[in-house]
Amino acid sequence: MVATQEDLLSVSSSFSRIIKQGVGKGPETCYSVLKENRLYIYIRNFKTSAEEVLIDKKEYNLVMRYRSSVISALSNELLQEASQLLRISFDSFHQDWNFHTNSGILLLVDNTFNPDVKIDEEFEKKLFQTVRMVGSQLHKFPYDLKVVKYTQDICAIESQESKLPLEYLLLEQGQTDLLLTYTIEIKKGYFKNRGLFEKIFNRSIQDIFLMWDCKHNKSYLIFTFNKVY
């Protein structure tokens, strides 16, 4: 299906409504972009009063766990709403948040197919070399990298075999808080190396997001860029 702008506006409006009903406050900005089998929902300026208190106390891990838990509780409803409006069978839901920029991304995926994105081979080679170099220092060597979205606003990279055996053990034991804290630390490492990626993209990076798809043994590393005026 080719989604119209009206379809995507309906998704954004529905997501804002569902989040507001579930959380008590909706985002100031919420817009949707569909690329093949992936729906990206960009959210900005969305903090509840409770989150503001936790952030003032620098309880960043706690506020991340709180936000992730609340949105996870709404994930089935959000998946159903997007699937119905766009007539696409989205079957996985991912999220990540950056409180220092008051922004986040929701990613919904239809895993029945995985289309290719055509980009310059030399650019892709440099990008993947840098992702592997930085990623292996922070977590594990990224395997089977694939660019799944690249525009003037965003670059999303999919990696296979994303988790270590110990991490799967923690998941089985329900130790999700430890994994969330670990993810925050990994993302900090990518932020510290932001300059390396900005040289490759020739763009100023606004945000970096990291999401895990444990069911399909994948991860998504997403860069968003500052607008050029």
Side-chain angles (χ1 to χ4, degrees):
M1 169 193 175
V2 177
T4 65
Q5 191 60 35
E6 185 177 350
D7 293 329
L8 294 173
L9 286 173
S10 294
V11 171
S12 299
S13 177
S14 295
F15 272 47
S16 292
R17 172 181 52 81
I18 292 170
I19 291 172
K20 184 175 182 179
Q21 289 175 346
V23 179
K25 177 181 179 179
E28 290 183 15
T29 303
C30 178
Y31 66 98
S32 309
V33 176
L34 180 66
K35 178 64 176 178
E36 302 291 351
N37 64 326
R38 296 176 180 85
L39 176 66
Y40 302 81
I41 310 292
Y42 301 85
I43 293 176
R44 296 190 65 83
N45 299 329
F46 171 46
K47 290 179 184 175
T48 66
S49 298
E51 290 171 337
E52 291 281 9
V53 171
L54 293 173
I55 291 169
D56 288 342
K57 293 183 177 181
K58 302 187 185 304
E59 295 283 358
Y60 300 116
N61 288 2
L62 184 56
V63 74
M64 180 64 85
R65 292 197 294 270
Y66 171 80
R67 170 71 65 84
S68 298
S69 296
V70 170
I71 300 300
S72 291
L74 301 173
S75 61
N76 286 337
E77 185 176 359
L78 293 169
L79 276 168
Q80 291 173 7
E81 186 75 6
S83 298
Q84 180 178 348
L85 289 172
L86 298 177
R87 297 179 293 282
I88 296 175
S89 299
F90 296 109
D91 55 7
S92 62
F93 178 96
H94 315 289
Q95 61 175 307
D96 193 22
W97 307 92
N98 288 331
F99 289 98
H100 64 284
T101 56
N102 200 0
S103 62
I105 288 185
L106 307 180
L107 173 61
L108 285 68
V109 184
D110 173 6
N111 288 284
T112 59
F113 67 109
N114 194 5
D116 291 327
V117 174
K118 302 296 184 183
I119 61 174
D120 180 76
E121 289 185 6
E122 187 61 28
F123 166 81
E124 182 182 71
K125 180 180 178 182
K126 291 179 181 179
L127 176 61
F128 288 176
Q129 285 176 341
T130 306
V131 170
R132 290 187 180 104
M133 180 187 69
V134 175
S136 61
Q137 294 172 353
L138 302 172
H139 179 236
K140 62 175 292 190
F141 189 84
Y143 290 96
D144 295 331
L145 296 173
K146 179 178 182 178
V147 173
V148 294
K149 182 174 175 60
Y150 185 46
T151 68
Q152 64 178 358
D153 299 317
I154 183 175
C155 180
I157 303 169
E158 178 189 277
S159 175
Q160 300 285 344
E161 300 181 28
S162 59
K163 288 287 187 184
L164 295 167
L166 178 59
E167 293 169 307
Y168 279 108
L169 179 60
L170 290 173
L171 277 173
E172 290 175 1
Q173 295 181 348
Q175 300 294 328
T176 55
D177 286 356
L178 285 175
L179 291 176
L180 186 56
T181 300
Y182 188 34
T183 298
I184 293 171
E185 293 304 312
I186 294 172
K187 195 162 59 173
K188 285 179 182 178
Y190 277 107
F191 267 108
K192 289 179 181 178
N193 288 278
R194 179 169 53 185
L196 296 175
F197 293 101
E198 289 180 331
K199 289 181 180 179
I200 296 172
F201 291 122
N202 196 28
R203 297 291 306 276
S204 173
I205 293 173
Q206 181 181 57
D207 270 316
I208 299 175
F209 299 95
L210 181 61
M211 307 177 186
W212 308 104
D213 181 351
C214 297
K215 179 179 178 180
H216 300 95
N217 200 10
K218 298 178 182 179
S219 66
Y220 294 96
L221 177 64
I222 299 178
F223 300 90
T224 64
F225 307 118
N226 288 306
K227 293 186 180 299
V228 177
Y229 298 98

